[in-house]
mmCIF file of all heavy atoms in Angstrom:
data_model
loop_
_atom_site.group_PDB
_atom_site.id
_atom_site.type_symbol
_atom_site.label_atom_id
_atom_site.label_comp_id
_atom_site.label_asym_id
_atom_site.label_seq_id
_atom_site.Cartn_x
_atom_site.Cartn_y
_atom_site.Cartn_z
ATOM 1 N N CYS A 52 -19.464 4.881 -9.845
ATOM 2 C CA CYS A 52 -18.207 4.136 -9.650
ATOM 3 C C CYS A 52 -18.253 2.758 -10.308
ATOM 4 O O CYS A 52 -17.217 2.189 -10.694
ATOM 5 C CB CYS A 52 -17.898 3.987 -8.149
ATOM 6 S SG CYS A 52 -17.409 5.537 -7.361
ATOM 7 N N GLU A 70 -15.493 -0.768 14.544
ATOM 8 C CA GLU A 70 -14.188 -1.371 14.768
ATOM 9 C C GLU A 70 -13.591 -2.026 13.524
ATOM 10 O O GLU A 70 -12.379 -2.274 13.470
ATOM 11 C CB GLU A 70 -14.261 -2.398 15.906
ATOM 12 C CG GLU A 70 -15.115 -3.624 15.619
ATOM 13 C CD GLU A 70 -16.591 -3.405 15.901
ATOM 14 O OE1 GLU A 70 -16.975 -2.287 16.234
ATOM 15 O OE2 GLU A 70 -17.370 -4.393 15.761
ATOM 16 N N LEU A 97 -19.950 5.733 15.095
ATOM 17 C CA LEU A 97 -18.668 5.797 14.390
ATOM 18 C C LEU A 97 -17.862 7.017 14.813
ATOM 19 O O LEU A 97 -16.660 6.937 15.053
ATOM 20 C CB LEU A 97 -18.921 5.814 12.879
ATOM 21 C CG LEU A 97 -17.680 5.903 11.994
ATOM 22 C CD1 LEU A 97 -16.830 4.640 12.123
ATOM 23 C CD2 LEU A 97 -18.065 6.137 10.538
ATOM 24 N N VAL A 118 -14.740 12.606 1.197
ATOM 25 C CA VAL A 118 -15.971 12.957 1.919
ATOM 26 C C VAL A 118 -16.833 13.849 1.060
ATOM 27 O O VAL A 118 -16.340 14.800 0.445
ATOM 28 C CB VAL A 118 -15.631 13.681 3.242
ATOM 29 C CG1 VAL A 118 -16.914 14.068 3.983
ATOM 30 C CG2 VAL A 118 -14.714 12.845 4.132
ATOM 31 N N GLY A 154 -22.520 19.687 -0.858
ATOM 32 C CA GLY A 154 -23.797 19.937 -1.512
ATOM 33 C C GLY A 154 -24.670 20.893 -0.679
ATOM 34 O O GLY A 154 -24.792 20.712 0.510
ATOM 35 N N ARG A 159 -30.024 26.021 -6.547
ATOM 36 C CA ARG A 159 -31.221 25.805 -7.385
ATOM 37 C C ARG A 159 -31.443 24.305 -7.661
ATOM 38 O O ARG A 159 -32.570 23.862 -7.749
ATOM 39 C CB ARG A 159 -31.103 26.587 -8.714
ATOM 40 C CG ARG A 159 -31.246 28.071 -8.566
ATOM 41 C CD ARG A 159 -30.922 28.771 -9.883
ATOM 42 N NE ARG A 159 -31.893 28.525 -10.928
ATOM 43 C CZ ARG A 159 -33.042 29.164 -11.043
ATOM 44 N NH1 ARG A 159 -33.380 30.116 -10.180
ATOM 45 N NH2 ARG A 159 -33.871 28.890 -12.025
ATOM 46 N N ASP A 207 -52.348 -17.375 -3.964
ATOM 47 C CA ASP A 207 -52.636 -17.928 -2.651
ATOM 48 C C ASP A 207 -51.413 -18.154 -1.807
ATOM 49 O O ASP A 207 -51.474 -18.827 -0.773
ATOM 50 C CB ASP A 207 -53.409 -19.230 -2.804
ATOM 51 C CG ASP A 207 -52.652 -20.280 -3.616
ATOM 52 O OD1 ASP A 207 -51.563 -19.935 -4.128
ATOM 53 O OD2 ASP A 207 -53.110 -21.424 -3.669
ATOM 54 N N GLU A 249 -47.739 -1.815 25.721
ATOM 55 C CA GLU A 249 -47.649 -2.917 26.680
ATOM 56 C C GLU A 249 -46.202 -3.111 27.102
ATOM 57 O O GLU A 249 -45.916 -3.493 28.239
ATOM 58 C CB GLU A 249 -48.188 -4.195 26.045
ATOM 59 C CG GLU A 249 -49.711 -4.213 25.871
ATOM 60 C CD GLU A 249 -50.223 -5.541 25.397
ATOM 61 O OE1 GLU A 249 -49.431 -6.494 25.334
ATOM 62 O OE2 GLU A 249 -51.454 -5.639 25.123
ATOM 63 N N ASN A 282 -54.645 -3.287 -13.001
ATOM 64 C CA ASN A 282 -55.007 -4.693 -13.144
ATOM 65 C C ASN A 282 -53.959 -5.650 -12.519
ATOM 66 O O ASN A 282 -54.255 -6.819 -12.306
ATOM 67 C CB ASN A 282 -55.192 -5.049 -14.621
ATOM 68 C CG ASN A 282 -56.410 -4.363 -15.201
ATOM 69 O OD1 ASN A 282 -57.343 -4.036 -14.493
ATOM 70 N ND2 ASN A 282 -56.418 -4.163 -16.532
ATOM 71 N N GLU A 346 -33.113 17.899 -22.578
ATOM 72 C CA GLU A 346 -32.850 19.285 -22.215
ATOM 73 C C GLU A 346 -32.717 19.409 -20.686
ATOM 74 O O GLU A 346 -31.819 20.082 -20.180
ATOM 75 C CB GLU A 346 -33.972 20.176 -22.753
ATOM 76 C CG GLU A 346 -33.724 21.649 -22.532
ATOM 77 C CD GLU A 346 -34.831 22.491 -23.122
ATOM 78 O OE1 GLU A 346 -35.667 21.956 -23.862
ATOM 79 O OE2 GLU A 346 -34.893 23.705 -22.807
ATOM 80 N N SER A 397 -40.220 14.701 17.825
ATOM 81 C CA SER A 397 -39.751 14.849 19.189
ATOM 82 C C SER A 397 -40.839 14.427 20.181
ATOM 83 O O SER A 397 -41.997 14.834 20.051
ATOM 84 C CB SER A 397 -39.360 16.308 19.447
ATOM 85 O OG SER A 397 -38.257 16.675 18.677
ATOM 86 N N GLU A 408 -46.137 5.372 28.071
ATOM 87 C CA GLU A 408 -46.824 6.219 27.103
ATOM 88 C C GLU A 408 -45.821 7.116 26.363
ATOM 89 O O GLU A 408 -44.745 7.438 26.882
ATOM 90 C CB GLU A 408 -47.856 7.130 27.802
ATOM 91 C CG GLU A 408 -49.090 6.401 28.282
ATOM 92 C CD GLU A 408 -50.151 7.357 28.791
ATOM 93 O OE1 GLU A 408 -49.993 8.599 28.603
ATOM 94 O OE2 GLU A 408 -51.137 6.888 29.360
ATOM 95 N N VAL A 463 -32.982 26.877 30.725
ATOM 96 C CA VAL A 463 -33.799 27.834 29.983
ATOM 97 C C VAL A 463 -34.224 27.173 28.689
ATOM 98 O O VAL A 463 -33.389 26.801 27.861
ATOM 99 C CB VAL A 463 -33.027 29.136 29.715
ATOM 100 C CG1 VAL A 463 -33.895 30.108 28.879
ATOM 101 C CG2 VAL A 463 -32.609 29.806 31.019
ATOM 102 N N ASP A 538 -37.380 38.696 21.642
ATOM 103 C CA ASP A 538 -37.649 40.018 22.231
ATOM 104 C C ASP A 538 -37.870 39.905 23.747
ATOM 105 O O ASP A 538 -37.395 40.768 24.501
ATOM 106 C CB ASP A 538 -38.871 40.644 21.562
ATOM 107 C CG ASP A 538 -38.658 40.850 20.073
ATOM 108 O OD1 ASP A 538 -37.640 41.409 19.695
ATOM 109 O OD2 ASP A 538 -39.528 40.416 19.270
ATOM 110 N N MET A 567 -35.364 32.163 13.935
ATOM 111 C CA MET A 567 -35.484 32.107 15.384
ATOM 112 C C MET A 567 -34.209 31.677 16.112
ATOM 113 O O MET A 567 -33.759 32.399 17.035
ATOM 114 C CB MET A 567 -36.668 31.225 15.779
ATOM 115 C CG MET A 567 -36.950 31.120 17.258
ATOM 116 S SD MET A 567 -36.006 29.818 18.132
ATOM 117 C CE MET A 567 -36.658 28.340 17.343
ATOM 118 N N MET A 597 -20.329 27.921 25.259
ATOM 119 C CA MET A 597 -21.527 27.249 25.810
ATOM 120 C C MET A 597 -21.883 26.013 24.947
ATOM 121 O O MET A 597 -22.178 24.953 25.460
ATOM 122 C CB MET A 597 -22.727 28.210 25.847
ATOM 123 C CG MET A 597 -22.695 29.218 26.957
ATOM 124 S SD MET A 597 -24.184 30.287 26.909
ATOM 125 C CE MET A 597 -25.502 29.110 27.154
#
Side-chain angles (χ1 to χ4, degrees):
C52 289
E70 65 276 4
L97 179 65
V118 180
R159 287 172 69 83
D207 58 353
E249 289 187 5
N282 292 335
E346 185 178 349
S397 294
E408 288 188 8
V463 177
D538 299 310
M567 182 273 296
M597 284 180 62

